[in-house]
Amino acid sequence: MELKNILVEHEKATATITINRPEKLNALNKETIQELHDVLSLLETNENVRTIIITGSGEKAFVAGADISEFAHFSEKQGAELARKGQELLFDFVENMKTPVIAAVNGFALGGGLELAMSCHFRIASDNAKMGLPEVSLGVIPGYGGTQRLAQLVGKGRAMEMVMTAGMIDAQSAKEFGLVNHVVPQADLFATYMGIADKIQRNSPVAIGKAIEAINANFKDGVNGFETEIENFGICFGTADFKEGTTAFLEKRRPVFEGK
């Protein structure tokens, strides 16, 4: 697969995807969104990949927003289609992946960049990170799930303020708001997310995928999250990972999960 806008590296069971458009501060365009979808689809089916990291190239930006030049002259219909297709291809897709996806926010995460980070299962930020949804300053609103996920993560009041002021918050405020899980010096970002990835990889991939599905169910209209949890809890009993995990516990050894 030829990739123009992203880089992919593998280390142990972790795949790191780096959005590589430094001349645009890694801004998302339609081509990049498609490449991310294609790569993530492949990684999702790769049994050797247990965690995925998404980050941006350089030290200035994770993703500084969407590429405005692509849609500045769109009609209402084209704008709605842009948002719908983007959500389906990337943002909703990431949120519902069974493989854990961690955003390593290494600088500016604005507009579509923050929306991408929020679609990941959780976020780690470098101490120089700045985050915000500045879309109303352009006469538009967030279109890649930002109005929904920001409110889920930080609460309605803070989401309203962040969106309406179009302002940025720093990494420490993002942690206090619950938008990111950890804030570390930029030099420590790689070691931090690899350490967390290693902890995740000690556990059952099947169980993690079912847990992601159950947690996400709480935020979906018309879905009973408790019922999803009950169903997925039961499904786990029929897996080889469950047999290995319980056997290892009783035998007082570390389990070796195969993700089956």
Side-chain angles (χ1 to χ4, degrees):
M1 180 187 300
E2 182 181 356
L3 300 172
K4 296 181 180 179
N5 301 300
I6 64 176
L7 306 172
V8 184
E9 298 175 289
H10 292 257
E11 184 168 328
K12 297 180 181 178
T14 299
T16 299
I17 298 172
T18 302
I19 299 167
N20 187 37
R21 302 184 75 217
E23 73 286 354
K24 295 281 190 178
L25 292 179
N26 305 322
L28 294 176
N29 60 4
K30 290 187 288 186
E31 186 178 54
T32 305
I33 287 173
Q34 185 66 57
E35 286 187 10
L36 285 166
H37 171 82
D38 293 343
V39 167
L40 288 164
S41 296
L42 286 175
L43 294 175
E44 178 80 326
T45 61
N46 188 335
E47 294 182 356
N48 295 317
V49 174
R50 297 287 182 91
T51 49
I52 299 169
I53 311 298
I54 298 179
T55 193
S57 64
E59 298 181 351
K60 291 183 178 180
F62 172 72
V63 173
D67 195 332
I68 297 168
S69 63
E70 277 198 334
F71 58 80
H73 303 292
F74 273 18
S75 66
E76 293 176 22
K77 183 177 180 180
Q78 289 172 313
E81 183 58 27
L82 178 74
R84 181 175 293 106
K85 187 173 181 180
Q87 288 192 30
E88 291 173 355
L89 272 179
L90 183 58
F91 302 85
D92 292 350
F93 184 83
V94 169
E95 181 179 76
N96 292 301
M97 287 179 67
K98 69 178 187 295
T99 306
V101 184
I102 304 167
V105 181
N106 55 319
F108 290 107
L110 304 176
L114 181 55
E115 289 173 304
L116 176 58
M118 290 191 295
S119 72
C120 296
H121 298 125
F122 62 91
R123 289 143 294 284
I124 304 166
S126 58
D127 54 10
N128 69 322
K130 298 287 180 65
M131 299 168 219
L133 295 176
E135 283 86 348
V136 297
S137 70
L138 300 172
V140 70
I141 70 169
Y144 288 143
T147 61
Q148 306 304 296
R149 293 189 179 96
L150 185 63
Q152 291 169 1
L153 289 164
V154 307
K156 181 179 178 180
R158 283 187 171 133
M160 286 285 193
E161 181 178 355
M162 286 180 65
V163 170
M164 288 191 285
T165 63
M168 292 186 292
I169 61 173
D170 61 22
Q172 195 56 46
S173 295
K175 183 180 178 183
E176 292 171 4
F177 290 179
L179 187 53
V180 303
N181 291 34
H182 305 278
V183 175
V184 299
Q186 190 164 53
D188 297 338
L189 188 60
F190 175 82
T192 300
Y193 70 65
M194 289 300 289
I196 293 173
D198 181 65
K199 291 180 181 178
I200 292 171
Q201 291 161 18
R202 298 174 191 173
N203 302 312
S204 162
V206 176
I208 287 172
K210 291 300 179 185
I212 290 171
E213 183 180 351
I215 293 168
N216 282 341
N218 182 56
F219 299 97
K220 297 186 185 299
D221 290 339
V223 177
N224 185 324
F226 290 99
E227 186 60 33
T228 301
E229 179 183 284
I230 290 167
E231 292 175 1
N232 286 2
F233 180 77
I235 289 170
C236 288
F237 278 69
T239 67
D241 276 4
F242 174 75
K243 183 176 181 180
E244 168 63 12
T246 52
T247 300
F249 177 83
L250 294 172
E251 294 177 352
K252 298 181 180 180
R253 60 174 174 82
R254 183 173 174 173
V256 179
F257 294 114
E258 295 184 1
K260 298 177 182 178

